[in-house]
Amino acid sequence: MLLTIARSRRILFVGGKGGVGKTSVAAALALARAREGARVLLVSTDPAHNLGHVWGEAVADAPTRVLTVGGGCVDAVEIDPLETIERHFASVADTMRHLLPERLHASASAHLERARTAPGSHESAVLERIAELVAAGLETHDLIVFDTAPSGHTLRLLALPEQLTGWTETLLANRDRSDRFAAAARSVVGTRDEQPSADAQLRRTLIARRDRFALLRSAITDAAQTSFVVVAIAERLPVAESIDVVRQLRQLGVDPAAVVVNRRSPADAGPLLAERRAQEEQHLAVLRDATHGIPITQVPLLPGDLAGAEALGALADRLAAAT
Ligand SMILES: Nc1ncnc2c1ncn2[C@@H]1O[C@H](COP(=O)(O)OP(=O)(O)O)[C@@H](O)[C@H]1O
Ligand SMILES: [Mg+2]
C-alpha cells in the first residue's frame, strides 16, 4: 500500500514522534522508488539531521547524490536552518530598505535583529527553503520525500504557507499604493523615478516569493500530489500522538494517506517480546479505530542499525512486501 501511494504522488511528508523511524522510513521509501527508476529528492527538515549518517555520506543544504541505481537516483538535502536564516534575513533586510524611508532604516534593522532570534522567524525561513525545494524539485525530480522534524514542529510549518502568502500580498499591495503615489508625485513635480531597476527587481522578488508559497500551499493540499505518511510505534503515547496528527492534517487539508507502525515485536522470540507484542496489539486496535480508513503498514523490529544502502534496501523490501 505504502509503495503504491509513493508511486502515484509527487510529494511525500514522513512524520511522527521523535525516534520512531521517520528517517529510516523516508530513506527506504526514497530508495524503493529509485530502484524503480524514479529520480527522488530526499529532504530533511529536522534540525537534528541524520540523513548523512543513514547514507554514510556528507549531506548539506544543496542536493548531494547519495544513490544511483539503474535509471533512478536519490539526491539528499539537509536544510540548514542557519544558512537559510542568513539568506532569508538578507533578503528581508533588502526588501525593508527599499520599502521604508531612510530615516526608518536604523529602527528597522534593530527590529530585524530581534526577529532573527524569534522562533517563528526561524520556521518561516525553513519554510522558505521548503518552498524553493518544492518549486525546483517538481521540475527536476519525480518524487520529493520530506523527512520531517517531530510532529508539532512540522504541523506548525505546514500551516505557515497561507500566512506567509498573506504577508507577501500585503507587501505587494503597499508597494502598488506607493508606486501609484510616487507616479502621481512625479507627474506633479516633473521628476523622474531614480530607482526604476531596484523597484522592478524588488517587485519581481516579492512576486516570485508569493508564487512559491502559493505553489507550496496548493501542492501540499492536493491529495493527488501530496500525502503525509505518519510513522509510529505501537505504544500508548506515540499512538495517541499519531491519532492527533491525523486529525490536525485533515484540518489543514493535507492527506494523511498511510500510517507505518514500526518496530513490531516478534511473537516467536521468547516470552518477554511475545508479551510486548500482545500489548502492542491493544495499542494498534486503538489506532485502527481512530484512523478508520487509513491503511496501516507494519514493520518488524529489525536487528542492527538501519544505515547504508543495504540495510535501507532490506527495509524497502519490507515496505514493498507490505503493499
Ligand atoms: N524497524 C526497525 N528495527 C530496528 N531499528 C529500527 C527500526 N526502524 C528504525 N530503527 C532504528 O531506530 C533509530 C531511530 O530511527 P530514525 O529513523 O532515526 O527515527 P526518527 O527519524 O523518527 O528519529 C535508528 O537507530 C534506527 O536505525
Ligand atoms: Mg530523523
Side-chain angles (χ1 to χ4, degrees), residues 210-246:
R210 180 195 59 185
D211 291 350
R212 265 203 308 277
F213 286 132
L215 173 81
L216 180 66
R217 177 75 196 152
S218 73
I220 63 180
T221 53
D222 174 6
Q225 253 195 106
T226 304
S227 286
F228 199 106
V229 175
V230 182
V231 184
I233 52 178
E235 290 177 8
R236 195 170 56 81
L237 279 179
V239 161
E241 185 172 312
S242 302
I243 292 168
D244 201 42
V245 167
V246 165

PDB file of all heavy atoms in Angstrom, residues 210-246:
ATOM      1  N   ARG A 210       5.730  35.160  -3.401  1.00  0.00           N
ATOM      2  CA  ARG A 210       4.301  34.891  -3.238  1.00  0.00           C
ATOM      3  C   ARG A 210       3.906  33.658  -4.058  1.00  0.00           C
ATOM      4  O   ARG A 210       3.191  32.787  -3.587  1.00  0.00           O
ATOM      5  CB  ARG A 210       3.490  36.103  -3.701  1.00  0.00           C
ATOM      6  CG  ARG A 210       1.988  35.883  -3.565  1.00  0.00           C
ATOM      7  CD  ARG A 210       1.204  36.896  -4.344  1.00  0.00           C
ATOM      8  NE  ARG A 210       1.536  36.858  -5.765  1.00  0.00           N
ATOM      9  CZ  ARG A 210       1.056  37.716  -6.663  1.00  0.00           C
ATOM     10  NH1 ARG A 210       0.265  38.674  -6.289  1.00  0.00           N
ATOM     11  NH2 ARG A 210       1.399  37.612  -7.932  1.00  0.00           N
ATOM     12  N   ASP A 211       4.410  33.589  -5.281  1.00  0.00           N
ATOM     13  CA  ASP A 211       4.059  32.463  -6.145  1.00  0.00           C
ATOM     14  C   ASP A 211       4.591  31.145  -5.596  1.00  0.00           C
ATOM     15  O   ASP A 211       3.933  30.119  -5.702  1.00  0.00           O
ATOM     16  CB  ASP A 211       4.576  32.691  -7.573  1.00  0.00           C
ATOM     17  CG  ASP A 211       3.808  33.818  -8.260  1.00  0.00           C
ATOM     18  OD1 ASP A 211       2.788  34.258  -7.697  1.00  0.00           O
ATOM     19  OD2 ASP A 211       4.232  34.255  -9.347  1.00  0.00           O
ATOM     20  N   ARG A 212       5.804  31.190  -4.999  1.00  0.00           N
ATOM     21  CA  ARG A 212       6.369  29.962  -4.418  1.00  0.00           C
ATOM     22  C   ARG A 212       5.507  29.459  -3.271  1.00  0.00           C
ATOM     23  O   ARG A 212       5.228  28.268  -3.155  1.00  0.00           O
ATOM     24  CB  ARG A 212       7.781  30.219  -3.904  1.00  0.00           C
ATOM     25  CG  ARG A 212       8.879  29.868  -4.887  1.00  0.00           C
ATOM     26  CD  ARG A 212      10.201  29.613  -4.189  1.00  0.00           C
ATOM     27  NE  ARG A 212      10.602  30.691  -3.294  1.00  0.00           N
ATOM     28  CZ  ARG A 212      11.221  31.783  -3.691  1.00  0.00           C
ATOM     29  NH1 ARG A 212      11.505  31.960  -4.958  1.00  0.00           N
ATOM     30  NH2 ARG A 212      11.566  32.710  -2.826  1.00  0.00           N
ATOM     31  N   PHE A 213       5.074  30.365  -2.389  1.00  0.00           N
ATOM     32  CA  PHE A 213       4.239  29.931  -1.259  1.00  0.00           C
ATOM     33  C   PHE A 213       2.877  29.454  -1.740  1.00  0.00           C
ATOM     34  O   PHE A 213       2.315  28.501  -1.205  1.00  0.00           O
ATOM     35  CB  PHE A 213       4.079  31.046  -0.221  1.00  0.00           C
ATOM     36  CG  PHE A 213       5.317  31.259   0.598  1.00  0.00           C
ATOM     37  CD1 PHE A 213       5.834  32.520   0.792  1.00  0.00           C
ATOM     38  CD2 PHE A 213       5.966  30.178   1.171  1.00  0.00           C
ATOM     39  CE1 PHE A 213       6.991  32.714   1.538  1.00  0.00           C
ATOM     40  CE2 PHE A 213       7.124  30.344   1.908  1.00  0.00           C
ATOM     41  CZ  PHE A 213       7.629  31.621   2.087  1.00  0.00           C
ATOM     42  N   ALA A 214       2.339  30.121  -2.758  1.00  0.00           N
ATOM     43  CA  ALA A 214       1.041  29.702  -3.292  1.00  0.00           C
ATOM     44  C   ALA A 214       1.173  28.315  -3.921  1.00  0.00           C
ATOM     45  O   ALA A 214       0.312  27.448  -3.726  1.00  0.00           O
ATOM     46  CB  ALA A 214       0.542  30.715  -4.315  1.00  0.00           C
ATOM     47  N   LEU A 215       2.283  28.083  -4.628  1.00  0.00           N
ATOM     48  CA  LEU A 215       2.527  26.769  -5.232  1.00  0.00           C
ATOM     49  C   LEU A 215       2.638  25.703  -4.140  1.00  0.00           C
ATOM     50  O   LEU A 215       2.035  24.630  -4.231  1.00  0.00           O
ATOM     51  CB  LEU A 215       3.820  26.788  -6.059  1.00  0.00           C
ATOM     52  CG  LEU A 215       4.268  25.421  -6.599  1.00  0.00           C
ATOM     53  CD1 LEU A 215       3.482  25.077  -7.854  1.00  0.00           C
ATOM     54  CD2 LEU A 215       5.764  25.393  -6.899  1.00  0.00           C
ATOM     55  N   LEU A 216       3.378  26.036  -3.086  1.00  0.00           N
ATOM     56  CA  LEU A 216       3.563  25.073  -1.994  1.00  0.00           C
ATOM     57  C   LEU A 216       2.228  24.744  -1.351  1.00  0.00           C
ATOM     58  O   LEU A 216       1.882  23.582  -1.137  1.00  0.00           O
ATOM     59  CB  LEU A 216       4.528  25.654  -0.952  1.00  0.00           C
ATOM     60  CG  LEU A 216       4.818  24.743   0.242  1.00  0.00           C
ATOM     61  CD1 LEU A 216       5.566  23.497  -0.192  1.00  0.00           C
ATOM     62  CD2 LEU A 216       5.636  25.483   1.304  1.00  0.00           C
ATOM     63  N   ARG A 217       1.471  25.795  -1.055  1.00  0.00           N
ATOM     64  CA  ARG A 217       0.167  25.605  -0.404  1.00  0.00           C
ATOM     65  C   ARG A 217      -0.742  24.738  -1.288  1.00  0.00           C
ATOM     66  O   ARG A 217      -1.384  23.811  -0.811  1.00  0.00           O
ATOM     67  CB  ARG A 217      -0.460  26.987  -0.156  1.00  0.00           C
ATOM     68  CG  ARG A 217      -1.835  26.982   0.436  1.00  0.00           C
ATOM     69  CD  ARG A 217      -1.809  26.636   1.906  1.00  0.00           C
ATOM     70  NE  ARG A 217      -3.141  26.266   2.366  1.00  0.00           N
ATOM     71  CZ  ARG A 217      -3.375  25.441   3.362  1.00  0.00           C
ATOM     72  NH1 ARG A 217      -2.384  24.900   4.031  1.00  0.00           N
ATOM     73  NH2 ARG A 217      -4.590  25.156   3.718  1.00  0.00           N
ATOM     74  N   SER A 218      -0.792  25.028  -2.583  1.00  0.00           N
ATOM     75  CA  SER A 218      -1.709  24.254  -3.421  1.00  0.00           C
ATOM     76  C   SER A 218      -1.168  22.846  -3.629  1.00  0.00           C
ATOM     77  O   SER A 218      -1.938  21.891  -3.693  1.00  0.00           O
ATOM     78  CB  SER A 218      -2.004  24.970  -4.748  1.00  0.00           C
ATOM     79  OG  SER A 218      -0.877  24.884  -5.574  1.00  0.00           O
ATOM     80  N   ALA A 219       0.164  22.684  -3.657  1.00  0.00           N
ATOM     81  CA  ALA A 219       0.724  21.330  -3.819  1.00  0.00           C
ATOM     82  C   ALA A 219       0.442  20.481  -2.579  1.00  0.00           C
ATOM     83  O   ALA A 219      -0.002  19.340  -2.699  1.00  0.00           O
ATOM     84  CB  ALA A 219       2.225  21.406  -4.085  1.00  0.00           C
ATOM     85  N   ILE A 220       0.650  21.035  -1.384  1.00  0.00           N
ATOM     86  CA  ILE A 220       0.517  20.175  -0.195  1.00  0.00           C
ATOM     87  C   ILE A 220      -0.940  19.893   0.163  1.00  0.00           C
ATOM     88  O   ILE A 220      -1.220  18.965   0.897  1.00  0.00           O
ATOM     89  CB  ILE A 220       1.290  20.708   1.049  1.00  0.00           C
ATOM     90  CG1 ILE A 220       0.760  22.047   1.534  1.00  0.00           C
ATOM     91  CG2 ILE A 220       2.774  20.760   0.796  1.00  0.00           C
ATOM     92  CD1 ILE A 220       1.507  22.586   2.750  1.00  0.00           C
ATOM     93  N   THR A 221      -1.857  20.684  -0.355  1.00  0.00           N
ATOM     94  CA  THR A 221      -3.268  20.408  -0.055  1.00  0.00           C
ATOM     95  C   THR A 221      -3.952  19.663  -1.206  1.00  0.00           C
ATOM     96  O   THR A 221      -5.165  19.500  -1.195  1.00  0.00           O
ATOM     97  CB  THR A 221      -4.036  21.712   0.249  1.00  0.00           C
ATOM     98  OG1 THR A 221      -3.821  22.615  -0.831  1.00  0.00           O
ATOM     99  CG2 THR A 221      -3.563  22.342   1.545  1.00  0.00           C
ATOM    100  N   ASP A 222      -3.161  19.205  -2.180  1.00  0.00           N
ATOM    101  CA  ASP A 222      -3.721  18.436  -3.289  1.00  0.00           C
ATOM    102  C   ASP A 222      -3.394  16.957  -3.055  1.00  0.00           C
ATOM    103  O   ASP A 222      -2.253  16.531  -3.221  1.00  0.00           O
ATOM    104  CB  ASP A 222      -3.097  18.937  -4.600  1.00  0.00           C
ATOM    105  CG  ASP A 222      -3.521  18.095  -5.794  1.00  0.00           C
ATOM    106  OD1 ASP A 222      -4.377  17.195  -5.626  1.00  0.00           O
ATOM    107  OD2 ASP A 222      -2.985  18.334  -6.891  1.00  0.00           O
ATOM    108  N   ALA A 223      -4.415  16.186  -2.654  1.00  0.00           N
ATOM    109  CA  ALA A 223      -4.190  14.788  -2.272  1.00  0.00           C
ATOM    110  C   ALA A 223      -3.708  13.931  -3.441  1.00  0.00           C
ATOM    111  O   ALA A 223      -3.144  12.864  -3.239  1.00  0.00           O
ATOM    112  CB  ALA A 223      -5.470  14.206  -1.680  1.00  0.00           C
ATOM    113  N   ALA A 224      -3.918  14.401  -4.671  1.00  0.00           N
ATOM    114  CA  ALA A 224      -3.430  13.630  -5.821  1.00  0.00           C
ATOM    115  C   ALA A 224      -1.921  13.802  -5.969  1.00  0.00           C
ATOM    116  O   ALA A 224      -1.246  12.988  -6.581  1.00  0.00           O
ATOM    117  CB  ALA A 224      -4.130  14.092  -7.096  1.00  0.00           C
ATOM    118  N   GLN A 225      -1.386  14.871  -5.367  1.00  0.00           N
ATOM    119  CA  GLN A 225       0.036  15.168  -5.492  1.00  0.00           C
ATOM    120  C   GLN A 225       0.826  14.860  -4.230  1.00  0.00           C
ATOM    121  O   GLN A 225       1.956  14.420  -4.277  1.00  0.00           O
ATOM    122  CB  GLN A 225       0.183  16.677  -5.773  1.00  0.00           C
ATOM    123  CG  GLN A 225       0.583  17.015  -7.181  1.00  0.00           C
ATOM    124  CD  GLN A 225       1.052  18.460  -7.266  1.00  0.00           C
ATOM    125  OE1 GLN A 225       2.231  18.716  -7.377  1.00  0.00           O
ATOM    126  NE2 GLN A 225       0.123  19.392  -7.216  1.00  0.00           N
ATOM    127  N   THR A 226       0.198  15.176  -3.092  1.00  0.00           N
ATOM    128  CA  THR A 226       0.944  15.142  -1.822  1.00  0.00           C
ATOM    129  C   THR A 226       0.241  14.315  -0.761  1.00  0.00           C
ATOM    130  O   THR A 226      -0.961  14.458  -0.554  1.00  0.00           O
ATOM    131  CB  THR A 226       1.101  16.579  -1.267  1.00  0.00           C
ATOM    132  OG1 THR A 226       1.732  17.379  -2.250  1.00  0.00           O
ATOM    133  CG2 THR A 226       1.930  16.596   0.001  1.00  0.00           C
ATOM    134  N   SER A 227       1.009  13.459  -0.092  1.00  0.00           N
ATOM    135  CA  SER A 227       0.463  12.721   1.046  1.00  0.00           C
ATOM    136  C   SER A 227       1.416  12.789   2.230  1.00  0.00           C
ATOM    137  O   SER A 227       2.612  13.007   2.057  1.00  0.00           O
ATOM    138  CB  SER A 227       0.235  11.254   0.680  1.00  0.00           C
ATOM    139  OG  SER A 227      -0.880  11.157  -0.157  1.00  0.00           O
ATOM    140  N   PHE A 228       0.838  12.569   3.380  1.00  0.00           N
ATOM    141  CA  PHE A 228       1.614  12.545   4.621  1.00  0.00           C
ATOM    142  C   PHE A 228       1.614  11.107   5.140  1.00  0.00           C
ATOM    143  O   PHE A 228       0.565  10.490   5.253  1.00  0.00           O
ATOM    144  CB  PHE A 228       0.954  13.475   5.642  1.00  0.00           C
ATOM    145  CG  PHE A 228       1.857  13.893   6.768  1.00  0.00           C
ATOM    146  CD1 PHE A 228       2.387  15.183   6.814  1.00  0.00           C
ATOM    147  CD2 PHE A 228       2.170  13.012   7.788  1.00  0.00           C
ATOM    148  CE1 PHE A 228       3.220  15.573   7.858  1.00  0.00           C
ATOM    149  CE2 PHE A 228       3.004  13.395   8.835  1.00  0.00           C
ATOM    150  CZ  PHE A 228       3.524  14.681   8.871  1.00  0.00           C
ATOM    151  N   VAL A 229       2.795  10.581   5.410  1.00  0.00           N
ATOM    152  CA  VAL A 229       2.918   9.232   5.980  1.00  0.00           C
ATOM    153  C   VAL A 229       3.275   9.406   7.453  1.00  0.00           C
ATOM    154  O   VAL A 229       4.296  10.016   7.786  1.00  0.00           O
ATOM    155  CB  VAL A 229       4.022   8.431   5.256  1.00  0.00           C
ATOM    156  CG1 VAL A 229       4.228   7.074   5.922  1.00  0.00           C
ATOM    157  CG2 VAL A 229       3.694   8.277   3.772  1.00  0.00           C
ATOM    158  N   VAL A 230       2.405   8.907   8.327  1.00  0.00           N
ATOM    159  CA  VAL A 230       2.648   9.044   9.762  1.00  0.00           C
ATOM    160  C   VAL A 230       3.358   7.788  10.265  1.00  0.00           C
ATOM    161  O   VAL A 230       2.868   6.681  10.074  1.00  0.00           O
ATOM    162  CB  VAL A 230       1.318   9.208  10.534  1.00  0.00           C
ATOM    163  CG1 VAL A 230       1.590   9.408  12.027  1.00  0.00           C
ATOM    164  CG2 VAL A 230       0.514  10.384   9.984  1.00  0.00           C
ATOM    165  N   VAL A 231       4.524   7.972  10.879  1.00  0.00           N
ATOM    166  CA  VAL A 231       5.247   6.831  11.434  1.00  0.00           C
ATOM    167  C   VAL A 231       5.024   6.804  12.941  1.00  0.00           C
ATOM    168  O   VAL A 231       5.040   7.849  13.600  1.00  0.00           O
ATOM    169  CB  VAL A 231       6.756   6.905  11.124  1.00  0.00           C
ATOM    170  CG1 VAL A 231       7.482   5.661  11.635  1.00  0.00           C
ATOM    171  CG2 VAL A 231       6.988   7.071   9.627  1.00  0.00           C
ATOM    172  N   ALA A 232       4.787   5.584  13.477  1.00  0.00           N
ATOM    173  CA  ALA A 232       4.578   5.450  14.919  1.00  0.00           C
ATOM    174  C   ALA A 232       5.156   4.128  15.374  1.00  0.00           C
ATOM    175  O   ALA A 232       5.548   3.286  14.562  1.00  0.00           O
ATOM    176  CB  ALA A 232       3.083   5.485  15.228  1.00  0.00           C
ATOM    177  N   ILE A 233       5.235   3.941  16.682  1.00  0.00           N
ATOM    178  CA  ILE A 233       5.459   2.607  17.218  1.00  0.00           C
ATOM    179  C   ILE A 233       4.230   2.286  18.057  1.00  0.00           C
ATOM    180  O   ILE A 233       3.495   3.195  18.468  1.00  0.00           O
ATOM    181  CB  ILE A 233       6.765   2.501  18.040  1.00  0.00           C
ATOM    182  CG1 ILE A 233       6.836   3.594  19.109  1.00  0.00           C
ATOM    183  CG2 ILE A 233       7.983   2.590  17.135  1.00  0.00           C
ATOM    184  CD1 ILE A 233       8.065   3.505  19.982  1.00  0.00           C
ATOM    185  N   ALA A 234       3.985   0.991  18.277  1.00  0.00           N
ATOM    186  CA  ALA A 234       2.732   0.585  18.919  1.00  0.00           C
ATOM    187  C   ALA A 234       2.824   0.707  20.443  1.00  0.00           C
ATOM    188  O   ALA A 234       2.788  -0.280  21.180  1.00  0.00           O
ATOM    189  CB  ALA A 234       2.369  -0.837  18.499  1.00  0.00           C
ATOM    190  N   GLU A 235       2.994   1.952  20.883  1.00  0.00           N
ATOM    191  CA  GLU A 235       2.957   2.236  22.318  1.00  0.00           C
ATOM    192  C   GLU A 235       1.943   3.334  22.550  1.00  0.00           C
ATOM    193  O   GLU A 235       1.547   4.026  21.604  1.00  0.00           O
ATOM    194  CB  GLU A 235       4.345   2.685  22.800  1.00  0.00           C
ATOM    195  CG  GLU A 235       5.353   1.543  22.799  1.00  0.00           C
ATOM    196  CD  GLU A 235       6.763   1.987  23.202  1.00  0.00           C
ATOM    197  OE1 GLU A 235       6.930   3.155  23.634  1.00  0.00           O
ATOM    198  OE2 GLU A 235       7.682   1.174  23.052  1.00  0.00           O
ATOM    199  N   ARG A 236       1.553   3.498  23.805  1.00  0.00           N
ATOM    200  CA  ARG A 236       0.424   4.380  24.089  1.00  0.00           C
ATOM    201  C   ARG A 236       0.627   5.813  23.585  1.00  0.00           C
ATOM    202  O   ARG A 236      -0.192   6.341  22.820  1.00  0.00           O
ATOM    203  CB  ARG A 236       0.122   4.384  25.598  1.00  0.00           C
ATOM    204  CG  ARG A 236      -1.241   4.963  25.961  1.00  0.00           C
ATOM    205  CD  ARG A 236      -1.572   4.719  27.426  1.00  0.00           C
ATOM    206  NE  ARG A 236      -0.533   5.267  28.300  1.00  0.00           N
ATOM    207  CZ  ARG A 236      -0.450   6.549  28.650  1.00  0.00           C
ATOM    208  NH1 ARG A 236      -1.347   7.413  28.236  1.00  0.00           N
ATOM    209  NH2 ARG A 236       0.521   6.970  29.436  1.00  0.00           N
ATOM    210  N   LEU A 237       1.749   6.451  23.994  1.00  0.00           N
ATOM    211  CA  LEU A 237       1.934   7.861  23.628  1.00  0.00           C
ATOM    212  C   LEU A 237       2.115   8.099  22.124  1.00  0.00           C
ATOM    213  O   LEU A 237       1.451   8.968  21.554  1.00  0.00           O
ATOM    214  CB  LEU A 237       3.101   8.462  24.410  1.00  0.00           C
ATOM    215  CG  LEU A 237       2.747   8.882  25.836  1.00  0.00           C
ATOM    216  CD1 LEU A 237       3.972   9.456  26.550  1.00  0.00           C
ATOM    217  CD2 LEU A 237       1.610   9.913  25.837  1.00  0.00           C
ATOM    218  N   PRO A 238       2.984   7.313  21.471  1.00  0.00           N
ATOM    219  CA  PRO A 238       3.108   7.522  20.014  1.00  0.00           C
ATOM    220  C   PRO A 238       1.792   7.298  19.273  1.00  0.00           C
ATOM    221  O   PRO A 238       1.497   8.004  18.306  1.00  0.00           O
ATOM    222  CB  PRO A 238       4.150   6.482  19.596  1.00  0.00           C
ATOM    223  CG  PRO A 238       4.929   6.210  20.834  1.00  0.00           C
ATOM    224  CD  PRO A 238       3.965   6.344  21.968  1.00  0.00           C
ATOM    225  N   VAL A 239       0.978   6.349  19.736  1.00  0.00           N
ATOM    226  CA  VAL A 239      -0.306   6.108  19.080  1.00  0.00           C
ATOM    227  C   VAL A 239      -1.236   7.301  19.296  1.00  0.00           C
ATOM    228  O   VAL A 239      -1.858   7.806  18.346  1.00  0.00           O
ATOM    229  CB  VAL A 239      -0.950   4.787  19.588  1.00  0.00           C
ATOM    230  CG1 VAL A 239      -2.446   4.754  19.290  1.00  0.00           C
ATOM    231  CG2 VAL A 239      -0.253   3.591  18.938  1.00  0.00           C
ATOM    232  N   ALA A 240      -1.278   7.795  20.533  1.00  0.00           N
ATOM    233  CA  ALA A 240      -2.133   8.962  20.810  1.00  0.00           C
ATOM    234  C   ALA A 240      -1.689  10.148  19.953  1.00  0.00           C
ATOM    235  O   ALA A 240      -2.516  10.862  19.377  1.00  0.00           O
ATOM    236  CB  ALA A 240      -2.051   9.310  22.302  1.00  0.00           C
ATOM    237  N   GLU A 241      -0.384  10.328  19.853  1.00  0.00           N
ATOM    238  CA  GLU A 241       0.121  11.457  19.061  1.00  0.00           C
ATOM    239  C   GLU A 241      -0.223  11.291  17.581  1.00  0.00           C
ATOM    240  O   GLU A 241      -0.615  12.248  16.912  1.00  0.00           O
ATOM    241  CB  GLU A 241       1.631  11.627  19.256  1.00  0.00           C
ATOM    242  CG  GLU A 241       2.130  12.872  18.527  1.00  0.00           C
ATOM    243  CD  GLU A 241       3.574  13.221  18.834  1.00  0.00           C
ATOM    244  OE1 GLU A 241       3.959  13.252  20.029  1.00  0.00           O
ATOM    245  OE2 GLU A 241       4.319  13.491  17.876  1.00  0.00           O
ATOM    246  N   SER A 242      -0.110  10.057  17.077  1.00  0.00           N
ATOM    247  CA  SER A 242      -0.416   9.815  15.655  1.00  0.00           C
ATOM    248  C   SER A 242      -1.875  10.120  15.349  1.00  0.00           C
ATOM    249  O   SER A 242      -2.189  10.689  14.297  1.00  0.00           O
ATOM    250  CB  SER A 242      -0.132   8.364  15.286  1.00  0.00           C
ATOM    251  OG  SER A 242       1.194   8.067  15.561  1.00  0.00           O
ATOM    252  N   ILE A 243      -2.747   9.734  16.274  1.00  0.00           N
ATOM    253  CA  ILE A 243      -4.177   9.998  16.069  1.00  0.00           C
ATOM    254  C   ILE A 243      -4.408  11.510  15.989  1.00  0.00           C
ATOM    255  O   ILE A 243      -5.150  12.007  15.134  1.00  0.00           O
ATOM    256  CB  ILE A 243      -5.001   9.360  17.219  1.00  0.00           C
ATOM    257  CG1 ILE A 243      -4.910   7.829  17.112  1.00  0.00           C
ATOM    258  CG2 ILE A 243      -6.450   9.831  17.196  1.00  0.00           C
ATOM    259  CD1 ILE A 243      -5.437   7.077  18.324  1.00  0.00           C
ATOM    260  N   ASP A 244      -3.712  12.227  16.866  1.00  0.00           N
ATOM    261  CA  ASP A 244      -3.839  13.686  16.873  1.00  0.00           C
ATOM    262  C   ASP A 244      -3.272  14.297  15.583  1.00  0.00           C
ATOM    263  O   ASP A 244      -3.857  15.228  15.024  1.00  0.00           O
ATOM    264  CB  ASP A 244      -3.083  14.221  18.100  1.00  0.00           C
ATOM    265  CG  ASP A 244      -3.572  15.593  18.470  1.00  0.00           C
ATOM    266  OD1 ASP A 244      -4.803  15.796  18.426  1.00  0.00           O
ATOM    267  OD2 ASP A 244      -2.734  16.463  18.766  1.00  0.00           O
ATOM    268  N   VAL A 245      -2.163  13.761  15.116  1.00  0.00           N
ATOM    269  CA  VAL A 245      -1.544  14.268  13.881  1.00  0.00           C
ATOM    270  C   VAL A 245      -2.503  14.079  12.702  1.00  0.00           C
ATOM    271  O   VAL A 245      -2.701  14.996  11.894  1.00  0.00           O
ATOM    272  CB  VAL A 245      -0.192  13.559  13.604  1.00  0.00           C
ATOM    273  CG1 VAL A 245       0.295  13.830  12.187  1.00  0.00           C
ATOM    274  CG2 VAL A 245       0.852  14.009  14.608  1.00  0.00           C
ATOM    275  N   VAL A 246      -3.127  12.901  12.620  1.00  0.00           N
ATOM    276  CA  VAL A 246      -4.068  12.628  11.526  1.00  0.00           C
ATOM    277  C   VAL A 246      -5.216  13.646  11.558  1.00  0.00           C
ATOM    278  O   VAL A 246      -5.599  14.209  10.528  1.00  0.00           O
ATOM    279  CB  VAL A 246      -4.609  11.176  11.629  1.00  0.00           C
ATOM    280  CG1 VAL A 246      -5.841  10.984  10.759  1.00  0.00           C
ATOM    281  CG2 VAL A 246      -3.522  10.185  11.237  1.00  0.00           C
TER     282      VAL A 246
END
